[in-house]
Amino acid sequence: DGINLSEAAALFVLSKQEGEVELQGIGASSDAYHFSAPDPEGSEVISAMKMALTEAKKTPGQIDYINLHGTATPLNDAMESAAVNEVFGRHVAVSSTKGMTGHALGAAAALELGLCWMLLTGKDEQGLLLPNINDDEIDASLPALNFVQQGQKLGRRIDHCQSNSFAFGGNNISLIIGRNDD
């Protein structure tokens, strides 16, 4: 029923040397719509997601999992669900991990990218996904998405994750990381 604040920290070391996971695409935009409310149309969020896909040279169908910004606030969830539905439809597995971690504000993007990194480096060849928890009742007025349930698996190894993060002032980032062996 709303935002749950938390604290976190994450550290990534970027290197020109190849590793098992690589940063494949970055999409950044700003709509400057309102200090704390997202633009309801989500056009700049859509732009950030598409930019990341283009830079990664991926189609929406090649993304295995999307970590939603998912603050559990009505304005953000309405905008993000419409934007994700516009770009991906309902075929990609999605969840917001903030139900498990809380919203770590400035550290949220790094924390959630770290969770995606763990999915890619995990040894589960059936692709255990991160569930969407604390959502006993999905809002039927929002566009339908493929929300991950507890224990749900992709049925194959996870190769590509996209993570969305949106900040005050309309700053949007969408990152794609993938296994380096694809």
Side-chain angles (χ1 to χ4, degrees):
D1 289 339
I3 197 165
N4 178 25
L5 297 179
S6 67
E7 294 184 11
L11 173 71
F12 293 91
V13 177
L14 297 176
S15 172
K16 290 183 179 184
Q17 294 178 327
E18 289 189 10
E20 61 184 318
V21 173
E22 67 181 357
L23 177 60
Q24 296 177 338
I26 300 171
S29 65
S30 180
D31 52 51
Y33 177 78
H34 183 271
F35 175 72
S36 61
D39 177 2
E41 299 299 315
S43 60
E44 290 302 315
V45 166
I46 291 168
S47 174
M49 289 186 292
K50 287 182 174 180
M51 225 181 297
L53 287 164
T54 298
E55 185 172 295
K57 298 180 177 79
K58 301 292 178 215
T59 65
Q62 291 176 291
I63 303 301
D64 298 314
Y65 168 75
I66 301 172
N67 186 289
L68 301 172
H69 184 63
T71 58
T73 57
L75 295 177
N76 179 83
D77 289 359
M79 177 279 301
E80 187 175 19
S81 61
V84 169
N85 188 279
E86 168 91 12
V87 177
F88 295 92
R90 55 176 301 168
H91 304 293
V92 177
V94 302
S95 70
S96 172
T97 54
K98 286 181 178 69
M100 292 183 275
T101 66
H103 192 324
L105 299 177
L111 171 62
E112 292 164 10
L113 193 64
L115 292 171
C116 286
W117 183 87
M118 290 173 62
L119 288 177
L120 295 171
T121 59
K123 303 304 178 207
D124 183 357
E125 291 298 314
Q126 291 301 305
L128 182 63
L129 296 163
L130 298 169
N132 203 67
I133 65 168
N134 299 329
D135 65 339
D136 297 335
E137 190 173 317
I138 301 290
D139 186 342
S141 70
L142 301 178
L145 298 176
N146 182 13
F147 284 104
V148 176
Q149 301 302 313
Q150 189 76 31
Q152 183 177 336
K153 294 186 177 196
L154 187 61
R156 61 177 169 76
R157 175 179 99 151
I158 299 169
D159 290 321
H160 301 97
C161 292
Q162 189 156 350
S163 187
N164 291 335
S165 294
F166 315 132
F168 287 146
N171 295 297
N172 311 302
I173 188 91
S174 189
L175 303 170
I176 297 174
I177 59 174
R179 290 183 189 256
N180 199 17
D181 61 357
D182 64 311

